[in-house]
Each structure stands twice: as C-alpha cells, then as structure tokens.
Amino acid sequence: MIGVTGTKGKTTVSTLIHLFLNTKKKVSMFTTVKNIINGITYEAERTTMESNVLNSFLKKSYLSGEKISVVEVSSHAVTLKRIDGID
C-alpha cells in the first residue's frame, strides 16, 4: 500500500508511481482522476473515496492478483478516517 498525500502533485506522483511499478508488477491505482484495477478504469468521484468503497476496491484488486495499490490521499480523507485500518 502506497499512500500519497500533500498540498500539490498527489495525482501526478500517484500516476508516476503506478506507471513505474506497473512495468514489473500488477498494481492498482486510486486517484482524483481515475481508479484502475486489473487494467480496468473506473470513474473517480473524489480524491479519496469513502472507506467502505475503498476497501471494496482494494479487495477486488487483491483478488485480481494485484499486491500493490497506490492511493491518492487527501488531508480531508485522513481527518474523516477514510484510510483508517489500511496498512
């Protein structure tokens, strides 16, 4: 699990990490722009989705064989505990 947070550049950094790691391993990505699981793109509604949706996507990613996930994490999501319980 790789979480990217900060004031600016979260989507760019998340995308670059995803592109770099995805050359060697299967990697999912969850950002403001799009969510990718097993090469399939899903629409994104916000920077960091609600925790139940994120956990559902992470499970789907894991079951598809992806052992690495890159998640764009807003400070608002941290405050709202959307990433609590994710190692």
Side-chain angles (χ1 to χ4, degrees), residues 14-79:
S14 297
T15 302
L16 289 172
I17 292 170
H18 177 260
L19 290 171
F20 176 75
L21 293 177
N22 209 35
T23 62
K24 301 289 183 186
K25 308 230 182 229
K26 291 177 65 176
V27 181
S28 60
M29 180 180 80
F30 307 100
T31 69
T32 303
V33 178
K34 61 185 168 184
N35 302 309
I36 302 173
I37 301 172
N38 200 26
I40 300 169
T41 301
Y42 298 87
E43 186 176 332
E45 294 180 13
R46 57 177 62 111
T47 302
T48 311
M49 59 195 85
E50 296 292 335
S51 59
N52 61 327
V53 177
L54 179 57
N55 277 294
S56 174
F57 274 161
L58 289 171
K59 180 179 179 180
K60 186 174 190 170
S61 169
Y62 180 80
L63 292 175
S64 75
E66 295 171 327
K67 305 299 184 220
I68 301 171
S69 293
V70 181
V71 182
E72 181 180 349
V73 181
S74 68
S75 58
H76 188 68
V78 174
T79 302

